[in-house]
Every structure is written in structure tokens, then in C-alpha cells.
Amino acid sequence: MENKPSVIMIGLGYIGLPTAALIAQNKTHVHGVDINPKVVQTINEGKVHIVEPELDEAVANAVKQGYLKADTEPVEANTYLIVVPTPFKGKNEPDISFVEAATKAIIPLLKEDDLYIIESTSPIGTTEKMMSLIYSERPELKGKLNIAYCPERVLPGNVMYELVHNDRVIGGIDSPSTDKAVDFYRQFIKGDLHKTNARTAEMCKLVENSSRDVQIAFANELSLICNKADINVWELINLANKHPRVNILQPGCGVGGHCIAVDPYFIVADYPMESQIIGKAREINNYKSFWCAEKIKAAKLEFELVNGRKPSIALMGLAFKPNIDDLRESPAKYIVQKVLQNANNEEYYIVEPNIDSHKVFKLTNYKEAVEKSDIVVFLVAHREFRELELLNNKVVLDFCGINKKL
Ligand code: SAJ
């Protein structure tokens, strides 16, 4: 007879699948749900549809041992986890319709004392909204369910380790809910579990990523000032950070990825008057990418003026941060697109050592690209680029500090 699952995981993506595998490793039966039948099929074959170290093995074992099963529909269990995306609608307005749809799908299955947890990054008040939705359809359960919010904070590329070892913030809609959620996570998480209420936990997730965005915006603003003031921004930051209470982050060609470049808008959309710095940081980090593209344009015009011929240009890096293959919301990709839109018979070499091919860009080996180019533009500080010897006859635009030699 098939074992009855005790956990339903709705959403089997970058966070849901690793979390489902982790819970299953703990010999707890997990019924994973995804709207995409291909994802469901892949997982049931013991395979994965996302690139993340150690995830393939964890999923293969969990499926083989019968603790993880994927499906397109939820079934009855004791704990329901909502780990679906919260994208944008219109102009930077968070869209919680996936959270809503996932919640609606499990409402008929709920029974007294069940635990319902949202992990999806959500605007403040979402957990309370979902509570109202649940109780409007199941009034007989009012006050008898445990409802909580518990965001994840894992770094892509190190998810399987961080899922277990990072501290978590857990906020229930009342203290029995918080306690029950803490007991649940305690089974498979070694980090500390910090109790709070649902609204604070929601805000905490948004604030963590906004804080990093604001700090990076400060570094990016310094890079713009230093460029005008003829100061090496990397040397400047290195020296300022010798102060015991100063820790400035690194400027780059903008901020990308699915989290830091997105989550601050969840605060700005609901509190536009109050979130001045948070909103401005987003603008600065976006502007930095535009500025880089303009700098490349200026460099190629200057080259042509001085040399009387069109330059060849190496664009080094497409990923959203160093040493990964993830191009989502990548500022480097945006810059490359912008530069190519302005192309006027120059020769371009596009480089991304972490991927083999791309459906839009023709990729070139990084050594070959540098060798053949008059202008070398460093967009992402990949480790391969650090070992390159650059000859003096090249024009170098270093937007990510590859050449800082500090
Ligand atoms: N970046 C800089 N300068 C820096 C650091 C980063 O320009 O000094 C840029 C990166 O190049 C990249 C962007 O910022 O484009 C974001 O990279 P990241 O490494 O800071 O963060 P993510 O997006 O990979 O993961 C973040 C993490 N959040 C925080 O560090 C506060 C992670 O812990 C979260 O779980 C993740 O967002 C998420 O899913 O929310």
C-alpha cells in the first residue's frame, strides 16, 4: 500500500524541489506538486530540471526510497508548503496570484490542526490575506489551523548546504502557529529558528535583499563619482574598508538575479512615499548598467577617431554574477544586448565560460576573444578572466574589478 504523505510541497522549482528533497531525506513522505507535467515526470524518474550542486543525488535517492513523489495535484496531508513564484504585474507590482491559486487548491483538503506555510517571497500582509481566504471558504476551521510564513535565504549554487545550516525566521499568525512551524522545521534544519509574527517575517525577507541592494547601490554610486573624479574606485573601497566599522561592497555592471533586483520593489510598491532609499537604490543599480553600455559606445567611437578604423570588441561575461551559468535578470546580458543594438560594423566577441552555447549570442572562447580584440570589456568577474594577461595595446573597460590587483 502506498504511504500517505505528511507534507505537500506546492512548487518544485529552485527552492521547492531542494526543500522537498531535504524533507524526504528525513524519511518524511513528501508529495510535491507542480503545474508543469514535464517537471513532474522528470522528478518521478529521479531526475532534476534545475542545475544545483548535490540536488540531483538528493532527488534521485528520495524518489528511489519512495519518500518523494511528484504530481500535478495535491492530496490530503498534515503540512502544506507554498513555494511558488511571486512575479510582477504591470509596472513593478507584485503578483500573488500563484500563491492564491496554490492556496485555493489545498483549501478543500485542510482539516483541524493542519500546518499551512508560505515560503514564497511575498508582499507584507500576504499570509493574513491567505488566512482570510482559507477561513472564508472553510469557516468551520476558523482558529483551528496553524498558519505561518517562513522565507528561505539560500544562495544559488550552495542551496543544499545553506538549506540545512542557515538560520530561519518563522512568523505565525498566532503563537501556536509559530510554535508548530518551528517544530516542523526543527526536524531537518540545523540553523537557529527565530520566532516572530507573519508580517515581520514577510518584511524580513524583503529587507534582507533590499539591504544588499542599497549597499551595492552605494558602491555603484561611488564608482560613478570616482570615474569623474579620476580615482580608482577599487583602491578607494579597499582603503575605506580598513576602517574597523566600514564595509563597502563591490561595484559592478548592475544588480541581477531573481531576488535582489526584484524584492525591493515589493516594499516600494506598497510604501512608495516611505521607501525613498530603497527605491533610489533600484534606480542607481539599473542606471549603472545603462551607464556601462554608454561607456562602451564612447570607447568604440574614440577608438575609431584615434585609429581611423572600427574596433573589435570582447564582451566578457553574460551571467548575473561570477562563476555561475545563470543569466536571469543579468545586467551583463542587458549591456551586451544594448551594445549589439548599436553595432555599426564593429567585430564583437561574446564570452561566457560557464555556458557552451546560447540561442541568441554566438559565444567565443575567452582567450581567443581577448587576443582578437582591440577593446576588452569586463562585465562579470569570472575566475577564468582573472588569470588573463592583458597586453598594453588593448583598451580595457573593467566594470567588475577584474584588474584591480589589490
Ligand atoms: N553584486 C554586486 N556587488 C557586490 C555583491 C553582489 O554588484 O558586492 C551583484 C551580483 O553581481 C549580482 C547581484 O548583486 O548581480 C546579486 O548577487 P548576490 O550574490 O548578492 O545575491 P543572489 O541574488 O545570488 O542571492 C540573494 C542572497 N541574499 C542576500 O545576500 C541578502 C540570498 O541569500 C537569497 O536567498 C537570495 O538573494 C534570494 O533567493 O532571495
Side-chain angles (χ1 to χ4, degrees):
M1 198 189 85
E2 200 167 296
N3 285 301
K4 212 174 147 225
S6 61
V7 175
I8 302 296
M9 171 71 66
I10 308 210
L12 296 171
Y14 280 84
I15 304 299
L17 183 58
T19 308
L22 176 66
I23 300 171
Q25 270 174 1
N26 210 37
K27 304 209 181 308
T28 300
H29 287 278
V30 183
H31 182 95
V33 180
D34 204 286
I35 49 168
N36 186 340
K38 254 177 109 180
V39 167
V40 168
Q41 190 192 340
T42 307
I43 294 168
N44 284 335
E45 286 166 3
K47 298 184 198 139
V48 294
H49 60 293
I50 39 188
V51 183
E52 180 60 43
E54 294 169 36
L55 177 65
D56 44 359
E57 207 187 318
V59 169
N61 285 338
V63 171
K64 199 165 134 208
Q65 291 170 10
Y67 286 103
L68 175 62
K69 180 178 181 282
D71 197 352
T72 49
E73 298 293 336
V75 294
E76 202 182 295
N78 306 319
T79 300
Y80 298 86
L81 285 157
I82 311 290
V83 194
V84 294
T86 34
F88 286 142
K89 59 180 180 204
K91 203 177 175 288
N92 298 333
E93 292 279 331
D95 174 5
I96 60 164
S97 61
F98 292 151
V99 174
E100 230 164 51
T103 304
K104 280 187 175 150
I106 57 115
I107 287 179
L109 305 168
L110 291 169
K111 58 187 184 322
E112 199 172 322
D113 213 31
D114 278 353
L115 176 60
Y116 162 96
I117 301 171
I118 304 176
E119 284 201 9
S120 309
T121 303
S122 302
I124 299 151
T126 302
T127 312
E128 289 165 355
K129 247 189 210 160
M130 292 307 111
M131 175 187 70
S132 304
L133 178 68
I134 293 169
Y135 288 148
S136 71
E137 293 196 20
R138 301 288 305 275
E140 79 282 9
L141 287 177
K142 201 162 184 182
K144 294 179 184 160
L145 294 174
N146 299 287
I147 296 175
Y149 183 75
C150 178
E152 57 70 28
R153 34 168 61 151
V154 290
L155 201 68
N158 199 24
V159 168
M160 294 315 281
Y161 177 86
E162 292 204 0
L163 259 186
V164 179
H165 294 92
N166 286 359
D167 284 12
R168 300 280 291 243
V169 173
I170 300 176
I173 44 123
D174 51 25
S175 33
S177 296
T178 310
D179 292 343
K180 183 119 181 178
V182 166
D183 289 344
F184 171 72
Y185 283 106
R186 188 111 60 207
Q187 301 172 72
F188 51 89
I189 285 176
K190 295 199 174 112
D192 290 340
L193 304 174
H194 303 274
K195 295 181 187 182
T196 182
N197 57 44
R199 294 176 78 79
T200 309
E202 288 161 348
M203 180 66 165
C204 193
K205 170 69 192 180
L206 303 180
V207 161
E208 288 163 15
N209 282 346
S210 301
S211 150
R212 197 156 166 85
D213 197 44
V214 168
Q215 290 177 54
I216 299 169
F218 182 71
N220 277 334
E221 182 163 295
L222 290 181
S223 73
L224 302 178
I225 297 169
C226 285
N227 183 263
K228 267 207 171 155
D230 198 19
I231 291 169
N232 179 328
V233 69
W234 315 101
E235 183 192 2
L236 171 81
I237 290 174
N238 186 44
L239 293 174
N241 284 350
K242 302 287 181 207
H243 185 293
R245 284 170 296 282
V246 173
N247 185 16
I248 303 170
L249 293 182
Q250 301 295 298
C253 67
V255 169
H258 240 44
C259 310
I260 297 189
V262 174
D263 297 358
Y265 290 123
F266 283 40
I267 302 178
V268 177
D270 286 340
Y271 306 93
M273 290 306 293
E274 293 78 10
S275 41
Q276 298 292 316
I277 292 182
I278 299 172
K280 198 73 198 168
R282 282 279 69 244
E283 279 176 33
I284 293 169
N285 287 332
N286 286 340
Y287 174 71
K288 183 65 195 284
S289 309
F290 172 81
W291 183 88
C292 291
E294 289 295 300
K295 280 275 164 198
I296 299 169
K297 200 161 112 191
K300 80 179 189 193
L301 292 176
E302 192 182 330
F303 183 95
E304 199 175 341
L305 217 64
V306 172
N307 298 281
R309 66 173 173 88
K310 301 269 185 196
S312 50
I313 303 174
L315 299 168
M316 309 290 285
L318 284 174
F320 88 81
K321 67 177 184 178
N323 311 322
I324 58 164
D325 63 356
D326 193 340
L327 310 191
R328 290 179 303 166
E329 315 287 331
S330 168
K333 195 175 82 181
Y334 161 86
I335 292 166
V336 170
Q337 277 161 343
K338 221 162 160 48
V339 168
L340 294 184
Q341 274 163 15
N342 280 314
N344 186 12
N345 292 321
E346 302 86 13
E347 189 80 51
Y348 288 96
Y349 299 102
I350 299 163
V351 173
E352 179 42 72
N354 296 295
I355 56 177
D356 295 332
S357 62
H358 189 273
K359 57 182 187 309
V360 177
F361 306 118
K362 179 177 173 282
L363 301 180
T364 303
N365 170 277
Y366 67 101
K367 285 185 183 156
E368 185 190 338
V370 167
E371 223 172 80
K372 288 183 169 165
S373 295
D374 303 305
I375 302 177
V376 181
V377 184
F378 288 106
L379 297 168
V380 189
H382 289 313
R383 62 174 76 85
E384 291 84 351
F385 302 165
R386 294 194 181 276
E387 59 193 47
L388 284 166
E389 284 295 323
L390 290 177
L391 299 171
N392 287 337
N393 62 350
K394 310 261 180 211
V395 176
V396 175
L397 298 183
D398 182 4
F399 297 128
C400 56
I402 206 88
N403 223 4
K404 59 189 170 191
K405 306 235 164 21
L406 291 172

